[in-house]
Amino acid sequence: MRLLLVEDDDHVAAALSAVLKRHGFDVTHARNGEEALHALLPPGEGVKPFGVVLLDLGLPDQDGYEVCGRIRKRSAVPVIMVTARADVRSRIHGLNLGADDYVVKPYDTGELLARIHAVSRRTGPDEAQPSEEPEAGLRLGPIRIELPTRRVSVDGRDVALTRKEFDLLALLAQRPGVVFRREQIISEVWRTSWEGTGRTLEVHVASLRSKLGLPALVETVRGVGYRLVVPAS
């Protein structure tokens, strides 16, 4: 997987790059925001797009939050913010700008690798760059899910979903028929282990069934979790 490391400290970047390369990542280092944005321009023919961006917020030329916002406007590539700012408000601000995860320094390398793999699993390889191909996405019976543009339609009718409703549907649609544990869904979609999120999950499942007009689409597996049942076309 190609990984873009945005870090102004060459010593930190060299050490982290060495670790990432040992784990099979093809690392490109950008020292500031402009280099990062330039690196994310559409790749040439035969060159795979970046699978993940590790974005340090303390950049010399512009604020890391601004860089994240600009990245999100041009690409759906997963972004993991890396920063020393541990306060909740900073994390919320980053996530609202479109970051997929947030790692606070000092961090454990094993945790960072786990988070990289987690966001890459949530994002298919074709999502990293916007696509003009109308076929990009998933088709499950009458349902079409366009991952790059986050659009959902049923029998050609567009259905407006909230961000979390879409994330929930996209997660279940990755493996139709497979049961996802409640804890796994909460961790993947809400990025928390707080038990109180369980009620929120139930509400989102009910909303999905209602909006899509397919009550049997998301099946409750009592005591375990949920699975997506592909409806007949």
Side-chain angles (χ1 to χ4, degrees):
M1 180 198 302
R2 293 187 70 211
L3 182 148
L4 178 60
L5 173 60
V6 189
E7 168 62 63
D8 65 315
D9 189 318
D10 287 340
H11 295 292
V12 172
L16 184 53
S17 293
V19 171
L20 293 169
K21 288 176 181 177
R22 284 201 300 271
H23 285 82
F25 293 97
D26 178 6
V27 181
T28 296
H29 176 209
R31 294 174 176 81
N32 54 53
E34 284 304 320
E35 285 186 15
L37 293 166
H38 180 75
L40 286 168
L41 291 174
E45 185 176 353
V47 179
K48 292 184 178 180
F50 288 104
V52 176
V53 175
L54 285 184
L55 174 62
D56 188 274
L57 294 184
L59 299 175
D61 59 335
Q62 52 190 299
D63 184 76
Y65 290 119
E66 178 185 349
V67 176
C68 179
R70 294 176 66 186
I71 289 175
R72 190 51 70 234
K73 287 180 180 179
R74 68 174 60 181
S75 172
V77 61
V79 176
I80 300 178
M81 287 185 168
V82 182
T83 178
R85 307 174 193 176
D87 60 288
V88 174
R89 181 174 298 179
S90 295
R91 281 180 282 174
I92 292 174
H93 182 47
L95 295 171
N96 285 339
L97 285 173
D100 294 86
D101 209 341
Y102 202 104
V103 179
V104 178
K105 299 177 182 178
Y107 51 79
D108 178 79
T109 303
E111 178 189 0
L112 177 63
L113 290 169
R115 290 179 181 273
I116 292 172
H117 287 301
V119 298
S120 64
R121 284 197 303 269
R122 290 197 293 267
T123 309
D126 293 332
E127 288 184 70
Q129 297 291 332
S131 172
E132 296 179 358
E133 294 293 331
E135 294 78 16
L138 301 172
R139 182 174 291 281
L140 304 165
I143 303 172
R144 179 168 180 78
I145 305 171
E146 298 181 15
L147 299 170
T149 58
R150 300 178 67 85
R151 293 180 60 190
V152 176
S153 61
V154 178
D155 290 327
R157 173 182 61 86
D158 284 345
V159 179
L161 300 180
T162 67
R163 182 179 181 85
K164 292 303 182 186
E165 288 169 350
F166 180 90
D167 291 343
L168 173 58
L169 177 61
L171 175 64
L172 296 175
Q174 289 176 15
R175 302 170 68 187
V178 174
V179 178
F180 285 78
R181 292 179 295 105
R182 290 168 60 89
E183 297 84 0
Q184 179 184 2
I185 296 173
I186 291 170
S187 175
E188 292 280 347
V189 176
W190 280 271
R191 303 186 183 95
T192 182
S193 59
W194 183 46
E195 295 181 358
T197 310
R199 177 57 182 163
T200 300
L201 171 57
E202 294 173 3
V203 171
H204 278 72
V205 169
S207 180
L208 265 183
R209 291 167 174 161
S210 174
K211 287 185 176 182
L212 297 175
L214 298 165
L217 176 68
V218 181
E219 180 182 357
T220 301
V221 180
R222 189 175 299 278
V224 182
Y226 298 92
R227 66 180 166 198
L228 188 141
V229 179
V230 179
S233 300

